[in-house]
Amino acid sequence: MRIEEVESTTRSQRIATHTHIKGLGLAEDGEPVADAVAGGFVGQDAAREACGLIVEMIRSKKMAGRALLLAGAPGTGKTALALGVARELGSKVPFCPMVGSEVYSTEVKKTEVLMENFRRAIGLRIKENKEVYEGEVIEITPEESASSGYGKVLQFVVVGLKTVKGTKQLKLDPTIYDSILKEKVQV
């Protein structure tokens, strides 16, 4: 019996909202192009012209580093205008749309959502390196600081492991010690 991979008939490229927006659709003098569909926009001539002024101010460093707030009723083109501004400023300007329900979610803290969007906007990627040690716990020694006016404070915990390759001692964060106690790990 011969087994072959079946190719999917669906398109592999995702189409998101506002992928048709290529810019603000303005002429060199800043006036909206008379074309019915200019830069992906239909209508919104006054708003496109106002955003064109903002783009010129940013390019001439008169508005660099400042925020732009677009307000209006749902469906009036605020996101499309913001995307048009970002596309006019060039490929190095990120466009990171956010919705209120994303910020006011019960699952994630507001500050986490905002920080993640700021990181995305400035192109910051956080890479975590995780090392996994496997073995038998042979030692758990919490190291406390010298007694201060408020009592002793746990500085770190030393965990000894017996592995296939030998023994290893790890100096870990005090929060790990709390997890060890919760899991009832014993020597």
Side-chain angles (χ1 to χ4, degrees):
M1 176 181 225
R2 189 172 162 200
I3 299 174
E4 293 181 25
E5 186 177 338
V6 179
E7 295 291 324
S8 175
T9 57
T10 61
R11 291 197 294 180
S12 61
Q13 183 183 11
R14 275 186 66 200
I15 304 296
T17 54
H18 304 307
T19 53
H20 60 285
I21 304 294
K22 306 298 179 212
L24 290 172
L26 300 174
E28 291 295 320
D29 62 351
E31 294 292 319
V33 177
D35 189 11
V37 180
F41 278 99
V42 177
Q44 293 281 14
D45 291 346
R48 287 174 23 216
E49 192 173 346
C51 285
L53 291 172
I54 297 293
V55 168
E56 288 305 313
M57 288 173 65
I58 292 170
R59 283 185 181 150
S60 65
K61 309 265 191 275
K62 292 180 181 172
M63 195 177 158
R66 302 235 172 119
L68 173 65
L69 176 65
L70 299 173
T76 55
K78 298 177 296 293
T79 306
L81 286 167
L83 180 58
V85 168
R87 295 267 167 91
E88 286 287 330
L89 290 170
S91 62
K92 290 187 177 185
V93 176
F95 179 71
C96 305
M98 282 177 47
V99 280
S101 59
E102 193 178 321
V103 177
Y104 292 103
S105 169
T106 57
E107 296 149 9
V108 185
K109 293 180 182 175
K110 293 177 186 105
T111 53
E112 284 181 36
V113 173
L114 294 171
M115 286 305 295
E116 179 59 34
N117 276 291
F118 285 133
R119 286 186 190 115
R120 206 174 348 146
I122 62 173
L124 180 65
R125 302 281 185 257
I126 295 177
K127 183 178 177 184
E128 292 183 19
N129 291 328
K130 294 182 181 181
E131 294 181 34
V132 178
Y133 297 99
E134 189 174 334
E136 179 186 349
V137 177
I138 57 172
E139 174 192 3
I140 302 173
T141 310
E143 295 289 330
E144 297 175 336
S145 66
S147 181
S148 65
Y150 300 108
K152 294 183 179 180
V153 177
L154 187 64
Q155 283 187 316
F156 58 89
V157 63
V158 176
V159 175
L161 289 178
K162 182 179 176 184
T163 65
V164 177
K165 297 179 182 177
T167 60
K168 187 161 195 87
Q169 280 197 329
L170 304 170
K171 186 176 173 181
L172 304 173
D173 193 71
T175 56
I176 301 292
Y177 187 61
D178 294 337
S179 299
I180 289 172
L181 292 176
K182 282 182 186 174
E183 293 294 323
K184 299 178 183 169
V185 176
Q186 295 178 352
V187 179

